[in-house]
Amino acid sequence: MPSPGESRFPATLGAFDARRIPVLQADVLVIGAGIAGATAALHAADAGASVLCVSKGEFDEANTAWAQGGMAAALRSDDSPERHARDTLVVGAGLAAPEVVREVVSRGPHMVAWLQGLGARFDRAADGAFALGREGGHSTNRVVHANGDSTGREIQRALSQALRNHERILCKVGPFVRDLLVGDGRCVGAVVLDGDRELAIHARAVILATGGAGQVYRETTNPSGACGDGHALAFRAGARLTDLEFVQFHPTVLYIAGASRFLISEVVRGAGAVLRDREGSRFMTAIHPDAELAPRDIVSRAILDRMVATNDTHVYLDLSGVQGDPHELFPSISRICRAFDIDIARDPIPVRPGAHYMVGGAVVDGDGRTSVPGLWACGEVAATGLHGANRLASNSLLEGAVFGASAGTAAAAEPRLGVLPRHDDLAESSDQAPLLQLDDVLYSLKSLMWRQVGLSRARDGLTQAVERIGLWNRYVRRSHPGTRRACELQNMLTTSALVATAALTRQESRGTHFRSDFPTRDDSNWCRRVVLARADDGVILAQPGDLRNPSDPRGDGS
Ligand SMILES: Cc1cc2nc3c(=O)[nH]c(=O)nc-3n(C[C@H](O)[C@H](O)[C@H](O)COP(=O)(O)OP(=O)(O)OC[C@H]3O[C@@H](n4cnc5c(N)ncnc54)[C@H](O)[C@@H]3O)c2cc1C
């Protein structure tokens, strides 16, 4: 077996020569059309730039459209940005950057108003004020929602309409970005697979807004496109990444064998639903003073422990104590459960945890600039410092909107159009390629990540995971060079290797990251971020970096 150091990840997934394929031009290329990408595109276009926005999937297949609970913002008279910041910092477990937290939460009310201005309709109480929900970690009600539990769908509807109507934005649904183009150390565009043809986009600035990576896990709340493409694209382009060990697992995902995993939002527990095991015993009260509303990682691990203790594949969410009619309060959840003959007002819902949110991503500054000139990142693919070691519920839509706005505005001001590079195909010959079943590798990867890089991790399992992923990585592309499926799988392998390497490096437990061999938080050694980058020979470099300046991998401030 190769050692972890022998796993090499290529700088590109294929050749590029601008003389051989069509080249489109735009001032700003935005990759992704969820809340981060759409907000960035709209702000860049409003600042005067011509924008090309590409999305490999339909708009309503992005994570954004799936968001249920809502978007956090301090809107009530008894709330304040300072209070919202305090809650965010507590959940961030010592790693959130206070100045980033203050900036993001103070812009919350403005971003809610901006979305309303685009036509997003948020739920109102009888007195006309916003109806605000409450989720775990929030000290008061501050979650704006739409149509009960369909907030993401409503936000995405308003954003998609604005994107399509803007005269300086061209949207393309379907093109898959294979590689970023980097020439003379600067990002100048991207290579795209559009059906069976390849084309290039040459731009002054590129904004990555590709969302999360939940699909690298067997159990996940994320839609099928959340493959970590952007994390892998940023890594191959030479950007620094951080916080990849922090993967948030959501405790309550509908579990019915064979059915796709549907999130049962935390607002359901916020409204009074409780967790019970197969005997009907409520177990969270003995584990945490906040019981079902304890931080997500604590509830998730408690559920797994209870599943083992009761030899069951899931636990149950009991809504009988919810004030009001659950069908009216949670119409989407009611509809999905009804399809499986579960009446949520009467029947407990079978649930178990699933991978939900990727805290880590490309290191960015306050404007969303990555460490590669010309490349910006926002939304789930970026590591802004807002979340620290864990994400406060409903802060991610907020972050996507705030950083999308900043990145779009800053990228529009980028003056230089760099020169397109030329990439030779660096892959080994496909002559002796093994006949790999991509689906088999995919399933094995997801299982490996769930078992060994999931809710509870330890050195041996993580080391083995890094080695296995490196091995698969060597063969996948040779086996099916240039196809979208192979590229997506290669991205999943790369992102998984980054997560496993970061998790192996952090020898403590904090936030979402739990090491059974280092079960306590170690503030003397680990108030730092693990910074990852690609070395010239393709191996993953992982080093603890300075907390204030994660783009300094040595951590000595130099
Ligand atoms: C079930 C569920 C419920 C959630 N509930 C909430 C909630 O209540 N509140 C909250 O704050 N957060 C919630 N989240 C998290 C939140 O939805 C996401 O973090 C957020 O929407 C991410 O937005 P984004 O713009 O970064 O990415 P996305 O919305 O995922 O958009 C990514 C875009 O990138 C495109 N893309 C990806 N790769 C490529 C490629 N290679 N080439 C071209 N295009 C590409 C996709 O097609 C898509 O358009 C939830 C997430 C899930 C899954």
Side-chain angles (χ1 to χ4, degrees), residues 31-37 54-57 62-64 66-71 135 156 175-177 209-212 221-223 225 229 233 263 356-357 378-381 391 394-398:
I31 308 171
I35 192 164
V54 297
S55 166
K56 70 175 182 177
N63 272 10
T64 297
W66 287 39
Q68 293 182 358
M71 176 161 148
E135 296 184 73
Q156 185 72 58
F176 170 83
V177 173
T210 46
T221 62
N222 288 193
D229 288 337
L233 285 166
L263 177 80
H356 185 54
Y357 182 80
C378 49
E380 206 168 326
V381 70
R391 176 189 68 123
S394 288
N395 263 359
S396 41
L397 289 175
L398 172 65

Side-chain angles (χ1 to χ4, degrees), residues 541-554:
L541 293 176
Q543 282 175 291
D546 186 285
L547 179 56
R548 283 148 298 153
N549 180 12
S551 54
D552 162 25
R554 286 191 296 280

Side-chain angles (χ1 to χ4, degrees), residues 40-61:
L42 289 163
H43 279 76
D46 284 347
S50 69
V51 177
L52 178 56
C53 179
V54 297
S55 166
K56 70 175 182 177
E58 295 293 338
F59 291 162
D60 59 1
E61 288 168 7

